[in-house]
Amino acid sequence: MFIKVLLLVVFFAVMIGIGFYSRSKAKNVNDYVLGGRSVGPWISAFAFGTSYFSSVVFIGYAGQFGWKYGLASTWIGLGNAFIGSLLAWLVLGRRTRVMTQKLDAKTMPEYFGKRYDSEALRIVGSVIAFVFLVPYTAGVYNGLSRLFGMAFSIDYRVCVIVMAILTGLYVVLGGYMATALNDFIQGIIMLVGICAVIFSVLAGQGGFLNAIKALSEVETDPLVTTAALVNGKGLFASFFGPDPLNLLGVIVLTSLGTWGLPQMVHKFYAIKDEKAVKTGTVVSTFFAIIISGGCYFLGGFGRLFSGFSEIYKADGSVAYDSIVPTMLSTLPDVLIGVVVVLVFSASMSTLSSLVLTSSSTLTLDLIKPLCKKEISDKTQLRLMQILVVFFIILSVLLAFNPPTFIAQLMGVSWGALAGAFLAPFMYGLYSKEVTRASVWASYIIGVGFTVVNIIHPIIASPINAGAVTMVAGLIVVPVVSLITPKPDKARVDEIFSCYDQKVSVRETENLGE
């Protein structure tokens, strides 16, 4: 217990210290929200990766999907790495940085408002972002608190409150730079921690080969198995697992979804230069392979711990959020301390990104446009800091009484946000033909379908429902753009002129003819 507490105390001290250090670098709105658009490659890459992976992935998703798909759940981690990280940087990174600077857009709703010349799109976008980031935040609290309950036997609510206070403190003090610097340190902890945990868990099962053999002997569960594969043997240790189609839905949601999440795309706004884009692309991809691939790989062995009573609820159903904590409970105390700091790192980095995104979009995209008087830069900064606290309190209240388990909270949040934002954001970076009406259509599809599916389920799994809304948005936006009035050509040409500006580079970076 002493070791676990000591590790946490040191961790907390470093996080808060960085908050005070970054305070001097957050004197205006641009610095507080974007770090002055001067964030280097490694910090940008780690900020992207640590915001991507939190306790939702480590505790919720790894447990649930590892149980359902066995080792095939590792495909989710690889999808996160190559679609959610590599392709996201290649497709969105550079263009997002250039166009958002041209538009002077600090948030995703502000981008929509200026790119499509509509204050209404900006205001509605800010409401969507705020409302659907709350359940995601609650899911992060939920996952961390379950781990704390296992490690320290501390009440769930105490864990939530402590985490909320610490996150709020360094975000209020230092803004984006405090978040980014902490993300870098937290990312290093995550890399070391996940490798140590995987090695230790497998060692406890007699080594990798013995664990694979034991997993191949586990009988399939008809409740989580595709009909054609029921009664199959060795499916939990197979290439595609017992339910390939639903596995594909999870890969789509958790990988493509990052392209439309405000707190993820926001990282591209703050990139310093071309070198940061190139290095960040590589580093974030390798980070995702190790962290996400490692989490799902670890979760794939969850059924080897099916004899533990903690994994089941009173009615005999599986408590998915308890699977990974149960696996970790078998580790030595020192490693449990490392795991606690690992998951705390992952969760605080994601939380800080979420609360900063929510507070900035409410201030800049809702309050500022609706206010009749001009709001000074200093007042906007204070408003954002107040709203950081408000958002944390709201998400804590939801976390105290979460409506369902972690993965479902995240599925609802990602489905609505990415379903509404992904298509108009991405197409808007590349095409001059995207219309204002198509953005409204995407908003309606993303939010409308998600809400209807909650009230009257059309697709039973929120995960698959979220994947469907994203794909629907990618189809709806170009179709609606074809049949609705085109945007003003001169205005759009002027916006896209940012991509045509000539720059000078060294011969080592671009060979001449």
Side-chain angles (χ1 to χ4, degrees), residues 283-398:
V283 174
S284 67
T285 302
F286 277 101
F287 183 87
I289 290 173
I290 295 171
I291 299 298
S292 188
C295 286
Y296 288 109
F297 175 75
L298 176 66
F301 292 97
R303 283 183 178 266
L304 298 185
F305 297 79
S306 59
F308 287 72
S309 60
E310 294 85 353
I311 287 180
Y312 301 96
K313 299 178 183 178
D315 61 3
S317 60
V318 178
Y320 293 121
D321 300 342
S322 298
I323 294 172
V324 171
T326 301
M327 295 172 69
L328 300 176
S329 67
T330 62
L331 298 178
D333 282 346
V334 175
L335 269 178
I336 291 179
V338 171
V339 171
V340 170
V341 175
L342 153 67
V343 180
F344 213 106
S345 298
S347 300
M348 286 189 72
S349 59
T350 301
L351 278 175
S352 60
S353 180
L354 290 170
V355 298
L356 183 61
T357 299
S358 299
S359 65
S360 60
T361 195
L362 269 186
T363 302
L364 300 176
D365 303 316
L366 186 61
I367 297 174
K368 185 180 176 182
L370 293 178
C371 189
K372 295 180 180 179
K373 295 182 179 180
E374 184 68 25
I375 305 177
S376 69
D377 195 79
K378 185 176 181 180
T379 302
Q380 291 179 53
L381 184 59
R382 294 292 173 261
L383 266 175
M384 277 187 273
Q385 292 171 326
I386 292 169
L387 287 171
V388 164
V389 177
F390 171 73
F391 182 82
I392 286 177
I393 292 172
L394 187 62
S395 57
V396 164
L397 292 175
L398 181 59

Side-chain angles (χ1 to χ4, degrees), residues 4 15 25 46 115 120 149 159 164 175 198 229 251 261 265 323 436 479 485 504:
K4 288 184 282 189
M15 298 302 103
K25 303 178 186 296
F46 274 65
R115 169 66 179 82
C159 301
I198 292 173
L229 298 176
I251 294 172
L261 296 180
V265 176
I323 294 172
R436 190 183 305 164
V479 170
S504 299

Side-chain angles (χ1 to χ4, degrees), residues 420-437:
F421 295 156
L422 190 158
F425 184 84
M426 182 181 70
Y427 288 138
L429 296 175
Y430 283 87
S431 173
K432 299 179 181 180
E433 306 299 319
V434 183
T435 65
R436 190 183 305 164

Side-chain angles (χ1 to χ4, degrees), residues 1-12 152 341:
M1 183 63 71
F2 173 76
I3 294 173
K4 288 184 282 189
V5 171
L6 179 63
L7 286 171
L8 278 179
V9 169
V10 172
F11 176 74
F12 294 158
F152 298 99
V341 175

